[in-house]
Amino acid sequence: MSAHLGPVIDLPGVEGAVLSGEDGLSLESYGHYTELLAAELIAIRSVFERLSRPAGLGGVTRLAITAETLDIVAVTAGPYLAAVAMTRGVDTRAAQQALARMALGLTLPGVANAR
């Protein structure tokens, strides 16, 4: 089982999950869409940060995207981004909470690396 993604893998409706570094490469992954999620969500995060920081809004900490067949939720923790792709229409609250707990663990002192 994945060291960090374990809490989200078994949630209802999860089709894929990924933990990536700031370079967009997957550090851990599960299921479908993982390479696409890792690379594209880092790019989206970068766009939103270029918009929000100059406006004094701070960094991006959570992204949510709804597509025709998927709901995607992602949280950031320093250079890391953890995301889950879920079947559209499934309640994403449990995934959001699990990702937030994971992000907290990744940013605690002494956590030198996500692997």
Side-chain angles (χ1 to χ4, degrees), residues 19-80:
L19 174 64
S20 68
E22 62 190 336
D23 56 4
L25 298 176
S26 173
L27 299 172
E28 290 184 27
S29 64
Y30 165 81
H32 305 289
Y33 317 110
T34 58
E35 295 305 318
L36 178 64
L37 277 176
E40 296 302 328
L41 289 175
I42 289 294
I44 291 169
R45 174 188 179 183
S46 175
V47 168
F48 279 106
E49 285 193 350
R50 281 196 308 269
L51 294 170
S52 65
R53 287 188 190 268
L57 301 175
V60 174
T61 59
R62 187 175 73 92
L63 299 168
I65 300 168
T66 298
E68 288 184 23
T69 60
L70 290 175
D71 284 324
I72 300 169
V73 178
V75 298
T76 64
Y80 305 111

Side-chain angles (χ1 to χ4, degrees), residues 61-108:
T61 59
R62 187 175 73 92
L63 299 168
I65 300 168
T66 298
E68 288 184 23
T69 60
L70 290 175
D71 284 324
I72 300 169
V73 178
V75 298
T76 64
Y80 305 111
L81 185 137
V84 62
M86 303 179 76
T87 304
R88 175 128 187 242
V90 172
D91 189 349
T92 63
R93 287 178 289 189
Q96 291 178 47
Q97 292 170 350
L99 289 172
R101 284 190 295 274
M102 181 191 320
L104 179 62
L106 292 171
T107 59
L108 291 174

